[in-house]
Amino acid sequence: MEPPALWPLVERVGARYAAAPAWSRGFVRGKLLSDPVTPALLRLAAGWGGLGRLVDLGCGRGQTGLALLLAGLAEEVTGLDLDPAKIRDATEAARDLPARFAVADLSVAEVPEADTAMMLDVLLQMEEATQLPLLRRIAGAARRRVLVRAFDPAAGWRAALGSAMEEAGRRIRRDGSHFRPMPLEALAAPFQEAGFRVQVAPCWGWTPLPNVLLVAERADS
């Protein structure tokens, strides 16, 4: 299976956010087009023949899950996020699609069972004590695979620059978010203990950030 062309797919996804505020519509399109994780996920999902039932943890406005759904690379999508406004945008955009979105605090929320669990750029913003328990819940809920985009704190100058940017962003936003990037060995451990094969590859594309994509697949899949 070949991954779809990115521009037409982004236009299809973006059109579903017509009722959202203009800045939200702009974010959805810009994020899908500029973030290196979008083509990476489309390539991986196409190579696997699809992700099956997908749960998107920390889904934001839901654009990534909906892109995979509209591309025919997911059967259905469940998205969880702490922000009610983003969940409203996602719910409206997903109207008439096999997708549902709900407000949830990932530090305590139950992870729905799914073929694939996905979490992008969320873990480092959580309190340190909540990270491992969440990863263990994900490992228990994912039937086939897990996709985690994470911040590699050992990535040299990229990590130094990314840390400075994250700290500056926290001071500007004053939203109570945390910055606790987990070492990749610790991030992989709960999945390896649960019987997953784990691979980690760079996912920073054109950016200077230390983002990587962890792919965990069940050994019997």
Side-chain angles (χ1 to χ4, degrees):
M1 183 184 295
E2 290 294 322
L6 186 57
W7 277 90
L9 177 61
V10 170
E11 286 305 305
R12 289 179 65 201
V13 176
R16 302 193 70 90
Y17 289 81
W23 61 268
S24 185
R25 297 196 304 271
F27 174 87
V28 164
R29 285 188 167 90
K31 182 70 170 173
L32 288 173
L33 284 172
S34 65
D35 194 331
V37 80
T38 307
L41 291 173
L42 292 172
R43 285 194 301 270
L44 284 171
W48 288 319
L51 301 177
R53 295 182 176 181
L54 172 68
V55 60
D56 184 1
L57 302 166
C59 64
R61 295 173 180 83
Q63 70 276 351
T64 304
L66 293 186
L68 290 161
L69 190 61
L70 291 174
L73 297 173
E75 294 174 11
E76 62 181 56
V77 173
T78 299
L80 303 178
D81 197 274
L82 190 60
D83 190 326
K86 293 178 181 178
I87 290 298
R88 284 196 297 272
D89 286 349
T91 299
E92 179 65 27
R95 187 177 294 183
D96 74 27
L97 293 176
R100 67 180 186 88
F101 297 91
V103 176
D105 180 352
L106 295 182
S107 66
V108 295
E110 180 181 350
V111 177
E113 286 194 5
D115 298 310
T116 303
M118 178 173 75
M119 183 168 61
L120 308 178
D121 308 323
V122 172
L123 200 63
L124 79 166
Q125 298 178 11
M126 299 180 65
E127 291 187 34
E128 198 166 6
T130 68
Q131 293 184 19
L132 272 176
L134 173 58
L135 293 175
R136 293 189 179 109
R137 294 199 302 278
I138 293 171
R143 290 187 286 264
R144 297 182 188 170
R145 63 184 65 87
V146 178
L147 301 166
V148 179
R149 213 253 296 262
F151 182 110
D152 181 1
W157 67 267
R158 290 180 180 273
L161 178 59
S163 296
M165 292 172 65
E166 287 287 343
E167 291 292 355
R170 287 177 63 244
R171 293 192 185 98
I172 292 169
R173 294 190 305 269
R174 297 182 181 181
D175 58 0
S177 63
H178 300 267
F179 178 59
R180 300 289 187 272
M182 179 182 288
L184 297 185
E185 296 82 0
L187 174 58
F191 302 111
Q192 293 168 331
E193 292 165 4
F196 288 83
R197 299 184 300 266
V198 175
Q199 293 183 312
V200 178
C203 193
W204 50 65
W206 59 272
T207 77
L209 301 175
N211 294 327
V212 296
L213 187 63
L214 178 145
V215 179
E217 296 184 87
R218 287 213 177 267
D220 55 358
S221 65

